[in-house]
Amino acid sequence: MTDRAAADGAAELRRQIAQTRNQLGATVEELAAKTDLRGRAKARAADLRDRAGAMTVQLRSTAAQAGHTVQEKAGRVGHTARDRAKDTRYELRSKAAKAGEELQGTASHAERAAPAPLRAPVRFAVRHPGPVVIVAAAGVAIVVAGVLGRRRCAR
């Protein structure tokens, strides 16, 4: 049995030696990987490139969505503004027509209320307001010029 026990002991030693060699090999590989700075830097750079690419895709997608949202809102605002402008235009037309009717009523009342010798000039002023406005503006300019002239002479 001594030969057999010695054989078993030797086999056990060989198995332990093989296991120790495997563990030592794994440890050496881990140490080599830790000391391989160039390889680690390349792996880290590749990882960062992948992450940057993913972020770029995500940012482009977000920007595109934001662009579509802004475009959509601008369209809605444009339609709202156009509708409000239409409403305002109709309101202004209505108010202008109403004011015109009131003015015509006032003008015809002024014609009737004017003394007989002034009816013809009042009728002309009502029917042709442009020349009357020009003459009135000229009169105001003359009065203002006179007032300013007096102020200059008084100094």
Side-chain angles (χ1 to χ4, degrees), residues 50 64-65 144:
D50 291 343
Q65 287 175 345
V144 168

PDB file of all heavy atoms in Angstrom, residues 50 64-65 144:
ATOM      1  N   ASP A  50     -18.454  55.461 -27.852  1.00  0.00           N
ATOM      2  CA  ASP A  50     -19.783  54.858 -27.968  1.00  0.00           C
ATOM      3  C   ASP A  50     -20.822  55.686 -27.208  1.00  0.00           C
ATOM      4  O   ASP A  50     -21.919  55.933 -27.712  1.00  0.00           O
ATOM      5  CB  ASP A  50     -19.764  53.423 -27.429  1.00  0.00           C
ATOM      6  CG  ASP A  50     -18.968  52.478 -28.309  1.00  0.00           C
ATOM      7  OD1 ASP A  50     -18.696  52.831 -29.477  1.00  0.00           O
ATOM      8  OD2 ASP A  50     -18.616  51.376 -27.825  1.00  0.00           O
ATOM      9  N   ALA A  64     -34.907  67.622 -32.884  1.00  0.00           N
ATOM     10  CA  ALA A  64     -35.919  67.471 -33.935  1.00  0.00           C
ATOM     11  C   ALA A  64     -37.323  67.582 -33.333  1.00  0.00           C
ATOM     12  O   ALA A  64     -38.203  68.249 -33.897  1.00  0.00           O
ATOM     13  CB  ALA A  64     -35.748  66.134 -34.646  1.00  0.00           C
ATOM     14  N   GLN A  65     -37.526  66.941 -32.186  1.00  0.00           N
ATOM     15  CA  GLN A  65     -38.833  67.022 -31.528  1.00  0.00           C
ATOM     16  C   GLN A  65     -39.145  68.460 -31.133  1.00  0.00           C
ATOM     17  O   GLN A  65     -40.267  68.933 -31.312  1.00  0.00           O
ATOM     18  CB  GLN A  65     -38.860  66.122 -30.290  1.00  0.00           C
ATOM     19  CG  GLN A  65     -38.929  64.648 -30.603  1.00  0.00           C
ATOM     20  CD  GLN A  65     -38.827  63.797 -29.354  1.00  0.00           C
ATOM     21  OE1 GLN A  65     -38.439  64.258 -28.300  1.00  0.00           O
ATOM     22  NE2 GLN A  65     -39.183  62.527 -29.487  1.00  0.00           N
ATOM     23  N   VAL A 144     -50.679 129.833 -35.167  1.00  0.00           N
ATOM     24  CA  VAL A 144     -49.492 129.378 -34.436  1.00  0.00           C
ATOM     25  C   VAL A 144     -48.287 130.233 -34.803  1.00  0.00           C
ATOM     26  O   VAL A 144     -47.506 130.643 -33.937  1.00  0.00           O
ATOM     27  CB  VAL A 144     -49.212 127.875 -34.711  1.00  0.00           C
ATOM     28  CG1 VAL A 144     -47.844 127.458 -34.201  1.00  0.00           C
ATOM     29  CG2 VAL A 144     -50.296 127.019 -34.091  1.00  0.00           C
TER      30      VAL A 144
END
